[in-house]
Amino acid sequence: MLQKIHPEPLQVSMPSRRHWKLTRPMQSVLLMAFSQVLFLTVAGQVVRAGDVNVVINDQAQMTIAYDEPGAIADANRLQDYINRMTGVTLSVVDLSTSPQGPLILVGPQAAQTVGINIPQSYPGGERVVAKQVGNDLVIAGNDAQAYSGTRHAIDMFLEKLGTEPYGPDPDWHVVAHYDDLVVSNINIDTSPAFEKRSTFFFQHPYGGVSHPDFDGLSWGNGGTPFHITHNYYQMYPPAQFFNDHPEWYSLIGGVRTSTGAWQICFSNAEVQARAIDLARAHFNADSSQVMFSLSANDGAGFCECASCSAMGANPAAQTVSFSNIVVAGLRTTHPDKDVAFIAYAGTSAAPPLTAEKADPGVQVFLINNTCGVHSLDDPSCQWDGVIPKGPWKTNLAKWQMSDADVSGIYEYYLPSWGGWLNVPYVPGDAALRDLQFYRDQGIRYMYYEGYSVEVIEDAPIRWPLAYVVSKGMWNPDLTAEQILRPACQKLFGNASEPMLDFYLECAKALDDSTVHGPGWWGLVSPELVYTAPVVATIRGQLHDAWALAAAESSEVRGRFTDVIDAWRRAEAVVDPAGTPCAPWADPGGPYVIDEGEALTLDASWSMDLNDDSEIASYLWDLDDNGVYETDAGGQALCVLSYAQLTSLGLGVGGPYNISLKLTDTTGLFDTAYGQLTITPEPATLALMLIGGLLLLRTRRR
């Protein structure tokens, strides 16, 4: 918790003045209190005991210290952000130089110097710590192998200070600004609910759209890496092997094939041996890897030969048998490594209960291919006349009975299919309830597949899609409101509450929808979710936010404008007919000018929400007679000379009521009211004062 401490008057209850006497004990108490006030006053600012001064009066009060080379990058990252927040650069030093305190201790070895031990275990045991110890701050985590615990600790610390990115656009990277940076009550000591946390939000792992100005680590993504890619293409590339080894490939309709939908021949001994060798090479190349993918190619085409059919009654059972063979060979050289595959498409249905059981070391990622509109706990969710959520859970239970380690969930978050590319898809509490279910089922890895055509321009209305689940993968017991409210406060200032309402309304629209997704891609046409009443509610929320954002900083106003531009594109999808919406008039001000000075009216914060119209005219009524006598045409700025003002009867005084009438190209209009005050120039003010004094003297006579 951050607090800027301001002096408060010392209040002492005393008897009435007539009987009050400063006794010797009271003198001692007051002297002690006064000395404490002096002691807690640093450079003119009152600081409570227990607070940590990071920067006071443009002077660094702490030094950033590390005790291992791996922590240098994290220490420099912290230094950079503190500089961006305060304009002051804290020194970064090695603890071996014996720096004088107070210190910000970065990294697990530095944390040990003040008694905080963070085991560097792997895999498992992720932990993040950011807390005060005496006069020092400790920011550290489990950094073993692939883990980024200290980086996560720094990001959580910065989040508490009001600094966090919300997408790839630098304008959506919120950096709080402080004259004095005083930290209190920092006590973060947490571990994630899931070992691996992955979203595709602008970080597409397959060569799609990744953005250099955003990485998922900022939101807590990361953890133990998994390897579950469709892998047969890479393991047995047909261009390299098919001509010489057609028997490696699936027999379909009596013909070995490597075109169209194809897989491998699980029963072929050379195929099995190559899989074992490739798995060993995979782990030798990167010791942080814990699994090797045996996931089938995308689609069908499983081998129909008699030997493969004997390995199991369905593709899932055959894949389990093949995985058992590979993991057995792997155990001789890599006893602590596993194989894994996605239970997807042809392999999604669990093996029969009578099938060969999975051996230890076989991990399965089950795809959630149910309705993407509703959560797994929605009993009313219909799909082709049946309830898919229940059968999906039954299939999960069957996979668990196969003895496979059902360690991961493959979630489809593809809100660019079916017209959703420009429309906000915010699962909210539904996604968090699913995460609670997964955690309770022992799931350790979460993989949210996004889509590679995500664009920056739509991120202002789509960032909650990944943000909510990213935070939920650390703590799924949070609510969407608890996650989004602090974010909206950072992003939108005084306009945060209606903006929070906007994002939650998007989530509610999904949850309340009576239309259900058809599985696999899981989404319905967006206009069936964003109905006319929902759009009307959202328009009202955005209008309320717009009105409050008028007084905010240019950064906040810019973000809100980004939201409006994105929502216009969304409305073009969900309301292609274009339900009319009157423009929003903002007269600016209140205006204060000096006598004789020209007046510049600024209505540039006015907006037209409709995608197919624009503001056509700005009319002003400056003399408050109901007649809009000043026509600024299509210009938001209007300059009037002082002579023009006096011709309208406006002179020194006020505040005067003024009004703006805004009309768009469809004829819809809005009016809004502001104020103008004209202050006298010094000579006029002097005459007014003299006149007032003469009048007062005359009245006294």
Side-chain angles (χ1 to χ4, degrees):
M1 178 180 177
L2 260 185
Q3 297 185 0
K4 289 189 175 181
I5 310 301
H6 300 285
E8 295 184 357
L10 182 63
Q11 297 184 359
V12 181
S13 297
M14 296 183 294
S16 65
R17 182 177 299 180
R18 178 179 301 175
H19 303 289
W20 181 74
K21 181 180 180 180
L22 189 59
T23 64
R24 189 171 297 276
M26 291 177 66
Q27 292 176 18
S28 300
V29 170
L30 288 174
L31 182 60
M32 183 179 299
F34 182 65
S35 66
Q36 289 298 309
V37 171
L38 287 178
F39 178 75
L40 294 174
T41 301
V42 179
Q45 179 175 359
V46 174
V47 182
R48 296 184 309 198
D51 290 345
V52 176
N53 300 328
V54 182
V55 173
I56 298 292
N57 287 344
D58 296 328
Q59 297 295 317
Q61 305 296 308
M62 305 190 79
T63 299
I64 300 173
Y66 62 90
D67 198 25
E68 56 201 301
I72 296 175
D74 292 322
N76 290 337
R77 176 180 173 82
L78 179 62
Q79 177 196 49
D80 175 62
Y81 270 99
I82 291 177
N83 174 263
R84 292 167 65 182
M85 290 189 292
T86 66
V88 176
T89 300
L90 273 62
S91 297
V92 175
V93 301
D94 192 316
L95 267 177
S96 63
T97 63
S98 302
Q100 298 301 304
L103 303 175
I104 302 179
L105 298 163
V106 174
Q109 289 187 25
Q112 286 182 345
T113 64
V114 290
I116 295 181
N117 181 37
I118 303 173
Q120 302 297 289
S121 58
Y122 187 89
E126 278 189 276
R127 184 182 169 200
V128 167
V129 173
K131 62 172 58 179
Q132 179 182 348
V133 179
N135 294 323
D136 298 326
L137 289 174
V138 174
I139 304 179
N142 182 353
D143 294 331
Q145 297 205 50
Y147 290 158
S148 302
T150 299
R151 162 67 193 272
H152 290 317
I154 288 173
D155 288 330
M156 290 184 186
F157 176 71
L158 292 172
E159 182 184 349
K160 291 291 186 183
L161 302 186
T163 294
E164 190 173 18
Y166 295 96
D169 188 341
D171 291 340
W172 282 71
H173 295 188
V174 178
V175 177
H177 296 286
Y178 296 94
D179 295 327
D180 295 330
L181 181 54
V182 180
V183 179
S184 65
N185 299 326
I186 290 290
N187 187 22
I188 299 170
D189 192 341
T190 186
S191 297
F194 295 90
E195 281 188 40
K196 177 63 177 179
R197 307 161 301 281
S198 176
T199 69
F200 269 43
F201 190 66
F202 287 98
Q203 294 297 305
H204 199 291
Y206 303 143
V209 178
S210 294
H211 201 282
D213 290 328
F214 178 78
D215 69 81
L217 286 173
S218 301
W219 291 352
N221 289 183
T224 308
F226 50 62
H227 188 241
I228 56 169
T229 184
H230 300 292
N231 210 18
Y232 299 163
Y233 293 104
Q234 289 75 38
M235 296 171 66
Y236 312 94
Q240 183 177 351
F241 293 115
F242 183 76
N243 288 339
D244 294 334
H245 298 284
E247 70 279 7
W248 289 9
Y249 299 85
S250 50
L251 182 72
I252 301 175
V255 178
R256 298 285 177 178
T257 182
S258 64
T259 60
W262 65 271
Q263 308 294 340
I264 55 175
C265 182
F266 291 133
S267 59
N268 184 283
E270 291 180 332
V271 167
Q272 297 166 3
R274 179 171 175 79
I276 295 168
D277 288 342
L278 290 172
R280 288 171 175 158
H282 172 76
F283 296 122
N284 290 339
D286 184 355
S287 62
S288 71
Q289 294 291 323
V290 298
M291 65 186 74
F292 177 72
S293 176
L294 296 179
S295 295
N297 292 335
D298 201 347
F302 287 87
C303 187
E304 299 170 355
C305 77
S307 296
C308 284
S309 297
M311 293 176 71
N314 65 6
Q318 295 166 13
T319 304
V320 167
S321 297
F322 176 64
S323 298
N324 285 344
I325 293 169
V326 175
V327 82
L330 187 62
R331 281 290 180 263
T332 61
T333 55
H334 297 77
D336 58 341
K337 304 297 185 180
D338 293 352
V339 299
F341 63 89
I342 310 170
Y344 164 89
T347 59
S348 61
L353 296 179
T354 56
E356 177 183 346
K357 298 299 184 183
D359 290 337
V362 175
Q363 297 193 38
V364 172
F365 281 63
L366 181 60
I367 186 172
N368 179 3
N369 59 338
T370 64
C371 167
V373 180
H374 303 104
S375 64
L376 287 167
D377 63 359
D378 188 340
S380 68
C381 189
Q382 299 289 323
W383 174 29
D384 293 340
V386 301
I387 300 177
K389 305 295 188 181
W392 185 89
K393 291 180 180 179
T394 300
N395 189 50
L396 169 62
K398 289 181 178 179
W399 267 112
Q400 291 168 331
M401 287 186 285
S402 74
D403 287 352
D405 179 6
V406 184
S407 61
I409 294 293
Y410 189 121
E411 277 275 12
Y412 268 118
Y413 264 33
L414 294 172
S416 52
W417 295 72
W420 281 84
L421 177 60
N422 303 117
V423 181
Y425 177 68
V426 185
D429 287 331
L432 295 168
R433 293 196 301 272
D434 284 352
L435 282 172
Q436 293 168 12
F437 173 78
Y438 296 145
R439 176 196 58 193
D440 295 344
Q441 292 296 311
I443 301 300
R444 306 190 303 279
Y445 302 95
M446 287 303 306
Y447 181 57
Y448 289 89
E449 180 171 343
Y451 199 59
S452 60
V453 297
E454 197 82 48
V455 294
I456 292 177
E457 290 77 11
D458 293 320
I461 59 176
R462 292 166 65 86
W463 63 269
L465 160 69
Y467 187 77
V468 168
V469 295
S470 293
K471 300 298 183 180
M473 286 186 284
W474 279 78
N475 182 4
D477 294 321
L478 295 171
T479 66
E481 181 176 340
Q482 289 172 325
I483 292 171
L484 291 174
R485 171 169 274 114
C488 287
Q489 289 169 344
K490 297 185 189 80
L491 286 165
F492 302 109
N494 289 328
S496 63
E497 283 302 308
M499 284 305 304
L500 173 65
D501 292 340
F502 160 66
Y503 291 122
L504 293 179
E505 180 65 24
C506 294
K508 185 174 182 293
L510 282 171
D511 234 5
D512 290 351
S513 176
T514 58
V515 185
H516 304 274
W520 287 111
W521 313 127
L523 292 170
V524 298
S525 295
E527 66 269 18
L528 300 178
V529 173
Y530 286 91
T531 60
V534 172
V535 170
T537 297
I538 286 176
R539 285 179 171 180
Q541 292 162 342
L542 292 177
H543 181 275
D544 292 344
W546 163 80
L548 292 170
E552 281 292 339
S553 66
S554 59
E555 291 86 355
V556 169
R557 287 160 62 116
R559 291 182 202 119
F560 183 81
T561 300
D562 291 342
V563 170
I564 291 299
D565 289 342
W567 178 249
R568 286 193 186 103
R569 290 188 292 273
E571 277 207 17
V573 174
V574 302
D575 184 20
T579 301
C581 177
W584 301 342
D586 183 350
Y591 300 97
V592 179
I593 63 170
D594 293 332
E595 179 185 7
E597 183 183 355
L599 169 65
T600 300
L601 297 166
D602 185 355
S604 58
W605 189 237
S606 301
M607 288 190 178
D608 187 7
L609 195 61
N610 290 323
D611 191 48
D612 58 353
S613 66
E614 58 186 23
I615 298 173
S617 70
Y618 297 80
L619 298 174
W620 296 88
D621 175 13
L622 299 178
D623 54 6
D624 199 24
N625 65 354
V627 177
Y628 292 88
E629 76 290 326
T630 304
D631 187 350
Q635 301 301 312
L637 296 179
C638 178
V639 180
L640 292 94
S641 67
Y642 193 73
Q644 290 175 296
L645 295 176
T646 57
S647 70
L648 294 170
L650 302 177
V652 171
Y656 300 107
N657 293 324
I658 62 175
S659 62
L660 167 68
K661 181 177 180 180
L662 199 68
T663 306
D664 69 14
T665 51
T666 68
L668 295 174
F669 66 90
D670 185 31
T671 58
Y673 300 88
Q675 291 186 331
L676 166 64
T677 299
I678 302 176
T679 60
E681 63 181 14
T684 302
L685 180 60
L687 290 173
M688 292 172 65
L689 289 173
I690 293 171
L693 290 172
L694 290 174
L695 179 61
L696 180 61
R697 182 177 181 183
T698 301
R699 287 182 175 177
R700 285 182 174 177
R701 287 180 178 177

